[in-house]
Amino acid sequence: MSQDPEHKLNDELEVQEAEPQLKRPPLFKVILLNDDFTPMDFVVMVLRNFFGMSEEKATQVMLHVHTRGIGVCGVFSKDVAETKVRLVNDFSRKHQHPLMCTMEEA
Ligand code: TYC
């Protein structure tokens, strides 16, 4: 048997265990901001079309944003949140409304 430390037998090898993979991927809140110009109907339409809300839920969220200044449209993975923010902002600009959608880590 070799005495060379580089050639240990298998049962003598030290094995470093992998760190447990416990971290879940971060989630992001997609947020709508109030402004004085975007029509309420347009905001309700955005919430229905981009966030799958019912008319009732969309109206409730729109009124929350209108009165409180800010509100959450939903919580998503980073990729999905980024895409929703971009689609909503592009859609608002296309219709010449200043509606602002943004995101923050949940
Ligand atoms: N404040 C707007 C108005 O009075 C309505 C509005 C609601 C705009 C929510 C943006 O995210 C918003 N027409």
Side-chain angles (χ1 to χ4, degrees), residues 62-103:
M62 181 279 295
L63 286 173
H64 174 96
V65 177
H66 175 69
T67 52
R68 310 278 293 267
I70 192 168
V72 177
C73 310
V75 177
F76 307 95
S77 68
K78 190 172 193 213
D79 279 8
V80 172
E82 281 171 349
T83 301
K84 299 234 183 234
V85 166
R86 183 164 40 78
L87 289 175
V88 168
N89 287 335
D90 287 355
F91 186 69
S92 301
R93 295 307 89 79
K94 185 174 134 194
H95 291 271
Q96 302 186 320
H97 296 309
L99 181 63
M100 273 297 301
C101 187
T102 184
M103 61 194 265

Side-chain angles (χ1 to χ4, degrees), residues 32-36 38-40 43 62 65-66 99:
L32 216 49
L33 303 177
N34 188 34
D35 66 73
D36 292 338
T38 306
M40 291 183 173
V43 180
M62 181 279 295
V65 177
H66 175 69
L99 181 63

Side-chain angles (χ1 to χ4, degrees), residues 18-60:
E19 285 286 309
Q21 304 290 296
L22 293 177
K23 276 198 185 145
R24 290 180 225 291
L27 291 173
F28 288 80
K29 292 185 275 190
V30 171
I31 288 166
L32 216 49
L33 303 177
N34 188 34
D35 66 73
D36 292 338
F37 305 103
T38 306
M40 291 183 173
D41 284 358
F42 184 84
V43 180
V44 169
M45 192 247 286
V46 163
L47 291 167
R48 296 201 64 180
N49 291 349
F50 292 95
F51 299 95
M53 293 183 197
S54 65
E55 179 87 25
E56 196 179 354
K57 178 71 183 170
T59 303
Q60 188 187 323

